[in-house]
């Protein structure tokens, strides 16, 4: 079984953004040394608990501090960006770290409506960018290729067409993935013959249906000859089950805050989360998240990963290590997250 890592670059209540990034470097280096397959970072904006606002910037930083692990976006939210800009960023990453770059693309904005408007700037981009997502996918893929995209020009111009390339002389291309948390993404990935990842760690609902639809409708393409997919799952693994559950609680609290529409804040420390009182709605969200996560001592957590892989028919599982920290933990570190990777690797590699 292959294991990979998803990282949102979480920010705890005892951390600055610089601390969170330092902890991410430590986590990526651990994943690299342990033999994990890939390390993906997400795109979220204007959230107190998430420092991963720009995947290509984080990936460029990590590329210089890791040796062999594949690095990718999980994902870039394409409606926020011009396709050419995304193609250029990831073509450049591929040139800097050949054969190590994945470009995962998503359709959601990854932010609230106000932030989304600010990201798109004064040029007047609107929700038509979401409707144009399938075309943007094609444009990104084509512009990263060696041949580029041929743009038809007005007839009155001397030059009948213009070629757009993401990089002057591409020797390789990032692996393109479509990400999603709805049936729309499953249908689209199948129709375009793209590798596909359903956000099971976040959505939790509809995973089986989405993967079944993707596999049934898949059309072979130059990007994938057959369906390619894996699972994402939240995980907290520690020497004892009690400690693993305690470290998981702040992540569950954060999700209950998000889903009940309360003001967001940095990820709580364990002691802060344990002192809270929850409504019935919040408690239900917390228990649902706990039931879907990989959580426990090493042997039981590893067995949960095997069961997930068998149930969904995948040979790769992407772990989102979400354990927080106890008071007194060094701010620029995330020992619980590193331990999750180390303990699972010992059991599964």
């Amino acid at each position: 079984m292959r294991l990979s890592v998803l990282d949102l670059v979480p920010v705890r209540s005892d951390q600055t953004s610089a601390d969170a990034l330092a902890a991410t470097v430590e986590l990526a280096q651990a994943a690299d040394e342990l033999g994990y397959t890939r390390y993906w970072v997400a795109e979220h904006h204007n959230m107190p608990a998430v420092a991963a606002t720009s995947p290509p910037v984080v990936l460029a930083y990590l590329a210089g501090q890791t040796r062999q692990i594949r690095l990718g976006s999980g994902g870039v939210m394409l409606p926020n960006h011009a396709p050419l800009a995304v193609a250029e960023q990831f073509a450049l990453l591929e040139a800097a770290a050949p054969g190590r770059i994945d470009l995962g693309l998503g359709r959601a904005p990854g932010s609230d409506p106000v932030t989304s408007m600010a990201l798109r700037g004064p040029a007047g981009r609107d929700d038509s960018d979401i409707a144009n997502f399938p075309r943007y996918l094609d444009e990104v893929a084509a512009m990263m290729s060696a041949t580029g995209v041929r743009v038809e020009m007005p007839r009155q111009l001397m030059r009948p067409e213009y070629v757009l390339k993401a990089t002057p002389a591409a020797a390789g291309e990032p692996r393109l993935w479509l990400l999603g948390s709805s049936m729309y993404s499953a249908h689209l990935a199948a129709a375009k013959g793209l590798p596909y990842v359903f956000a099971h760690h976040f959505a939790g609902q509809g995973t089986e249906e989405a993967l079944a639809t993707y596999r049934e409708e898949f059309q072979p393409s130059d990007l994938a000859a057959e369906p390619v997919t894996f699972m994402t799952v939240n995980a907290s693994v520690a020497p004892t089950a009690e400690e693993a559950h305690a470290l998981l609680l702040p992540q569950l609290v954060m999700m209950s805050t998000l889903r009940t529409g309360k003001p967001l804040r940095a990820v709580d420390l364990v002691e802060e989360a344990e002192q809270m009182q929850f409504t019935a709605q919040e408690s239900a969200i917390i228990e649902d998240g706990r039931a879907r996560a990989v959580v426990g001592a090493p042997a039981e957590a590893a067995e949960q990963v095997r069961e997930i892989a068998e149930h969904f028919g995948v040979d790769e599982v992407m772990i989102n290590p979400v354990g927080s920290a106890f008071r007194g933990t060094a701010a620029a570190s995330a020992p619980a997250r590193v331990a999750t990777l180390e303990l699972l690797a010992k059991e599964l590699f």
Side-chain angles (χ1 to χ4, degrees):
M1 179 188 299
R2 295 191 303 273
L3 293 180
S4 293
V5 182
L6 175 65
D7 184 8
L8 275 62
V9 194
V11 183
R12 303 190 308 260
S13 61
D14 64 338
Q15 289 180 312
T16 65
S17 296
D19 292 330
L21 188 58
T24 274
V25 171
E26 181 183 39
L27 189 69
Q29 290 175 335
D32 194 25
E33 292 297 323
L34 291 166
Y36 280 73
T37 299
R38 66 188 89 239
Y39 193 99
W40 282 10
V41 296
E43 177 186 344
H44 294 283
H45 300 279
N46 203 33
M47 295 181 68
V50 180
T53 55
S54 178
V57 173
V58 178
L59 296 175
Y61 188 51
L62 295 179
Q65 303 190 66
T66 53
R67 297 183 301 108
Q68 61 186 5
I69 195 167
R70 293 190 66 89
L71 300 168
S73 57
V76 167
M77 300 297 102
L78 194 49
N80 293 336
H81 312 284
L84 176 58
V86 174
E88 286 180 333
Q89 291 160 358
F90 279 80
L92 196 57
L93 285 168
E94 174 66 23
R100 294 178 59 198
I101 303 300
D102 294 329
L103 171 53
L105 294 170
R107 186 175 65 123
S111 62
D112 60 84
V114 175
T115 306
S116 184
M117 289 175 61
L119 278 168
R120 298 177 189 186
R125 299 184 72 195
D126 55 30
D127 285 343
S128 65
D129 292 310
I130 296 176
N132 289 331
F133 180 68
R135 177 167 63 84
Y136 292 165
L137 274 176
D138 294 338
E139 290 177 357
V140 170
M143 285 187 286
M144 290 190 301
S145 70
T147 56
V149 172
R150 298 186 180 277
V151 180
E152 293 187 7
M153 306 297 288
R155 290 182 178 273
Q156 63 267 30
L157 297 181
M158 295 289 291
R159 196 172 184 175
E161 62 181 14
Y162 191 90
V163 178
L164 285 175
K165 287 186 177 183
T167 192
E173 300 172 25
R175 184 76 187 273
L176 194 62
W177 296 77
L178 181 60
L179 315 182
S181 57
S182 69
M183 291 304 297
Y184 170 90
S185 58
H187 291 299
L188 182 61
K192 290 188 175 294
L194 287 169
Y196 174 60
V197 182
F198 187 87
H200 180 74
H201 72 285
F202 177 78
Q205 302 289 334
T207 306
E208 287 186 77
E209 182 183 4
L211 293 185
T213 297
Y214 169 67
R215 289 165 172 150
E216 291 168 3
E217 298 181 0
F218 183 84
Q219 299 297 313
S221 71
D222 292 339
L223 298 173
E226 59 186 19
V228 180
T229 189
F230 58 77
M231 296 303 307
T232 61
V233 62
N234 294 327
S236 176
V237 186
T240 68
E242 181 181 14
E243 183 180 353
H245 279 275
L247 289 162
L248 175 64
L249 181 60
Q251 162 72 14
L252 301 176
V253 171
M254 185 183 72
M255 290 308 302
S256 73
T257 301
L258 177 67
R259 289 179 173 164
T260 55
K262 292 185 175 180
L264 300 177
R265 61 182 184 274
V267 179
D268 297 311
L269 296 172
V270 171
E271 293 87 350
E272 293 168 338
E274 289 179 334
Q275 294 173 0
M276 295 178 184
Q277 299 293 320
F278 305 110
T279 66
Q281 182 185 16
E282 290 168 339
S283 295
I285 294 170
I286 288 170
E287 290 310 310
D288 178 65
R290 194 190 310 276
R292 290 189 288 104
V294 167
V295 56
E300 64 177 318
E303 184 57 30
Q304 292 168 26
V305 172
R306 293 188 191 98
E307 290 173 355
I308 288 170
E310 181 177 359
H311 181 79
F312 291 104
V314 297
D315 59 6
E316 179 176 343
V317 177
M318 178 168 274
I319 302 299
N320 181 22
V322 295
S324 182
F326 295 99
R327 283 198 181 103
T329 299
S333 69
R337 302 179 72 217
V338 172
T340 290
L341 301 191
E342 291 175 339
L343 295 172
L344 284 177
K346 288 179 181 177
E347 295 287 335
L348 293 170
F349 290 163

